[in-house]
């Protein structure tokens, strides 16, 4: 299944989005990537559809039967840079994860992607912003893909994309992933966020209580000693204070962040969960 | 009343979650918090679990969970809640 250097035209010659493409889909060849991108979002928002549009792969897309249960990887080239894309299972939250969702949570938290694309369902925006805001708490390299715009329009919904982007402090790109609409715009924004051309100002809740602040710092320092190089130790500390059992267990067993390694060479296309 | 008493065709508004810790967090992450409109979508043959429609998505809850959620019954109306999805 060598799809390397397949030009996008083989897939959709009539789609205007692909005509002047700076995009080359690289399929499963993730050998020499410059940047790693994570696709996160609630279940069934079109992450795998978007992943396929970016990479040229055919990761299974579906309503319930085809849902992503493990992460899949692919790649594309845009403006001369190679991007590895990681398609994650859908999750409602980084805080109260089911077992399926832990793969996504661990990658978003500890995988250190260069950018995280949060794929949101434009017809269920309120629900989808829960995860979006949680992700904005831990990283400022975020682009929101406002997907299913066609469905939203069908239901008479209009979204003020500029206002949303301003409030979230990150780019918001309206998309119809199934038709490739908005794809170039998304890739351009990913590039801009990674290179710093677009300076994000992620919306965050401020913790003012100095006692909480002190407890977080103390715990975070201990975590850094225990797990050298672990990203987002402040977030982990906050979870411990909150009594999150899955994080507690991972700390106790020393497995925190284990699933995450972005650059490991032994990656396979589908990492099945046991 | 409690959510597990809600019948098909009825809509309620969440008043309080009588539950603490991770389970409370989970419910909130699923979009169930005070003020949320909630509706019975489908009951399984034995009545447990029940599928509820919440903020445009369908979420299944077991009776033991539904029992912890206090709601007020909506006055019946022809206007179908705040949900755009039917
Ligand atoms: N109308 C419309 N449907 C879309 C669009 N993008 C995806 N879909 C459909 O939405 C459904 C779910 O798409 P997936 O790509 O599997 O969603 P996912 O986010 O990967 O789902 P999980 O892996 O289960 O979280 C499929 O039926 C897609 O064809 C879009 O832009 N418009
Ligand atoms: Mg998927």
């Amino acid at each position: 299944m060598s799809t390397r250097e397949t030009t996008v035209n083989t897939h959709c010659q009539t789609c205007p989005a692909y005509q002047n493409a700076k995009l080359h889909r690289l399929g499963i060849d993730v050998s020499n990537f410059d940047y790693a991108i994570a696709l996160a979002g609630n279940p069934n928002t079109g992450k795998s559809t978007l992943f396929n549009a970016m990479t040229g792969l055919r990761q299974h897309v579906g309503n319930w039967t085809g849902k992503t249960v493990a992460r899949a990887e692919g790649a594309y080239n845009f403006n001369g840079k190679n991007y590895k894309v990681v398609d994650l299972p859908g999750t409602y939250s980084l805080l109260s994860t089911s077992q399926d969702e832990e793969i996504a949570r661990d990658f978003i938290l500890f995988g250190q992607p260069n950018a995280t694309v949060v794929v949101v369902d434009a017809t269920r925006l309120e629900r989808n912003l829960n995860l979006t805001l949680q992700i904005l708490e831990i990283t400022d390299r975020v682009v929101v893909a406002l997907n299913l715009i066609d469905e939203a329009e069908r239901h008479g919904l209009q979204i003020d994309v500029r206002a949303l982007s301003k409030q979230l402090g990150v780019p918001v790109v309206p998309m119809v992933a199934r038709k490739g609409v908005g794809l170039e715009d998304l890739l351009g924004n990913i590039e801009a966020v990674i290179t710093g051309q677009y300076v994000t100002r992620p919306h965050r809740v401020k913790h003012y209580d100095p006692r909480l602040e002190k407890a977080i710092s103390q715990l975070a320092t201990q975590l850094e000693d225990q797990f050298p190089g672990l990203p987002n130790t402040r977030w982990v500390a906050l979870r411990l204070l909150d009594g999150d059992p899955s994080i507690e267990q991972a700390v106790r067993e020393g497995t925190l962040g284990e699933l995450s390694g972005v650059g490991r060479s032994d990656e396979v296309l589908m990492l099945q969960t046991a | 009343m409690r959510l597990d008493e809600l019948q098909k065709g009825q809509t309620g508004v969440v008043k309080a979650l009588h539950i603490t810790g991770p389970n409370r967090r989970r419910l909130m992450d699923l979009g169930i918090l005070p003020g949320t409109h909630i509706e019975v979508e489908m009951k399984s043959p034995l009545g447990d679990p029940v599928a509820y429609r919440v903020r445009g998505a369908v979420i299944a809850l077991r009776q033991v969970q539904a029992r912890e959620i206090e709601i007020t019954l909506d006055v019946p109306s022809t206007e179908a809640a705040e949900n755009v999805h039917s």
Side-chain angles (χ1 to χ4, degrees), chain A residues 64 91-98 101 121 123-124 126-127 130 134 151 155 157 239 242-245, chain B residues 21-32 36 53-59 82-86:
Chain A
W64 289 103
T91 174
Y92 286 110
S93 169
L94 299 180
L95 305 183
S96 65
T97 39
S98 69
E101 295 179 328
D121 178 345
T123 70
R124 298 174 174 87
E126 182 191 31
R127 155 177 303 286
N130 185 45
Q134 289 179 8
E151 282 290 310
H155 290 284
L157 286 172
R239 303 316 316 143
D242 197 31
D244 183 324
Chain B
N23 293 331
R24 181 189 182 87
R25 180 76 239 179
R26 183 67 185 164
L27 287 178
M28 289 169 63
D29 281 333
L30 292 174
I32 301 171
T36 304
R53 179 163 289 274
V54 183
R55 295 179 198 268
V58 176
I59 282 157
E82 93 281 35
N83 291 323
V84 259
H85 275 259
S86 50

Side-chain angles (χ1 to χ4, degrees), chain A residues 133-174:
Chain A
L133 290 171
Q134 289 179 8
I135 292 175
L136 288 179
E137 287 280 334
I138 56 163
T139 167
D140 50 11
R141 306 253 196 103
V142 171
V143 178
V144 171
L146 186 63
N147 196 30
L148 294 137
I149 281 291
D150 54 337
E151 282 290 310
E153 278 172 2
R154 223 163 53 80
H155 290 284
L157 286 172
Q158 272 194 332
I159 294 168
D160 187 340
V161 174
R162 286 188 57 170
L164 184 62
S165 168
K166 210 171 155 203
Q167 285 187 25
L168 294 176
V170 297
V172 176
V173 182

Side-chain angles (χ1 to χ4, degrees), chain B:
Chain B
M1 68 188 266
R2 296 300 171 102
L3 181 60
D4 63 326
E5 301 165 59
L6 195 69
Q7 297 305 312
K8 190 151 172 26
Q10 293 182 323
T11 307
V13 179
V14 176
K15 220 168 128 192
L17 305 177
H18 297 283
I19 189 169
T20 55
N23 293 331
R24 181 189 182 87
R25 180 76 239 179
R26 183 67 185 164
L27 287 178
M28 289 169 63
D29 281 333
L30 292 174
I32 301 171
L33 45 156
T36 304
H37 289 262
I38 192 161
E39 185 185 339
V40 176
E41 174 83 12
M42 196 170 65
K43 294 213 172 186
S44 60
L46 295 175
D48 190 16
V50 172
Y52 297 95
R53 179 163 289 274
V54 183
R55 295 179 198 268
V58 176
I59 282 157
L61 294 180
R62 284 191 297 273
Q63 197 193 357
V64 288
Q65 299 170 293
R67 206 157 35 202
E68 315 290 356
I69 300 168
E70 188 180 344
I71 58 164
T72 46
L73 192 62
D74 258 6
V75 193
S77 150
T78 44
E79 303 266 315
E82 93 281 35
N83 291 323
V84 259
H85 275 259
S86 50

